[in-house]
């Protein structure tokens, strides 16, 4: 009988079949995608002296109930690397059928792209 090691390597992650350029700019996580709609983003590109800023118009589609949510913006440089890996979550109240503007600003002037995550408040 051989005395082989029984140590197993950790499970390897699968490759994401969704290419990065097809990833949604606005991600409504944990079931919120049925209740929140967005109608475009106003992006102010970075200049030599001021970082990129983004305003996303969002609206709750619920009939009578407001949604308590949290959101955070990610910003990326020209090589698509995240500039801040753990941005803070901000709370927002989305009244029934009313538009709310979610705002985010990069810290660095090197930001070239952005992404927004929205989830139910915790």
């Amino acid at each position: 009988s051989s005395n082989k090691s029984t140590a197993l390597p950790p499970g390897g992650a699968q490759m994401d079949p969704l290419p990065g350029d097809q990833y949604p700019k606005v991600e409504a996580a944990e079931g919120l995608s049925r209740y929140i709609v967005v109608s475009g983003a106003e992006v102010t590109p970075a200049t030599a002296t001021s970082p990129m800023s983004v305003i996303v118009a969002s609206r709750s589609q619920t009939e009578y109930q407001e949604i308590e949510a949290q959101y955070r913006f990610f910003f990326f440089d020209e090589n698509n690397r995240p500039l801040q890996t753990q941005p803070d979550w901000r709370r927002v109240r989305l009244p029934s059928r009313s538009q709310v503007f979610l705002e985010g600003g990069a810290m660095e002037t090197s930001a070239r792209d952005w992404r927004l995550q929205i989830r139910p408040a915790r």
Side-chain angles (χ1 to χ4, degrees):
S1 74
S2 61
N3 202 3
K4 287 190 178 149
S5 169
T6 56
L8 294 173
Q14 295 181 44
M15 290 302 292
D16 191 340
L18 190 68
D21 60 356
Q22 289 180 24
Y23 205 84
K25 281 276 190 232
V26 181
E27 175 190 345
E30 300 170 36
L32 277 186
S33 56
R34 289 178 301 183
Y35 303 110
I36 292 179
V37 293
V38 294
S39 55
E42 183 183 309
V43 179
T44 305
T47 65
T49 54
S50 66
M52 172 184 278
S53 65
V54 181
I55 300 172
V56 175
S58 62
R59 183 172 61 83
S60 162
Q61 295 194 97
T62 54
E63 195 65 47
Y64 301 110
Q65 188 179 1
E66 67 179 21
I67 295 175
E68 291 277 345
Q70 290 176 302
Y71 70 97
R72 63 183 177 178
F73 280 88
F74 287 91
F75 292 92
F76 302 89
D77 68 13
E78 69 269 0
N79 297 316
N80 219 26
R81 287 191 298 252
L83 292 171
Q84 190 185 354
T85 51
Q86 289 298 326
D88 291 333
W89 288 99
R90 291 190 238 164
R91 294 185 77 84
V92 64
R93 177 174 282 138
L94 299 165
S96 164
R97 303 177 75 146
S98 296
Q99 202 171 44
V100 173
F101 298 91
L102 307 180
E103 297 187 46
M107 299 294 183
E108 299 90 351
T109 56
S110 57
R112 295 292 174 267
D113 202 3
W114 62 276
R115 203 177 287 162
L116 167 62
Q117 281 183 330
I118 308 171
R119 72 177 185 192
R122 308 223 155 113

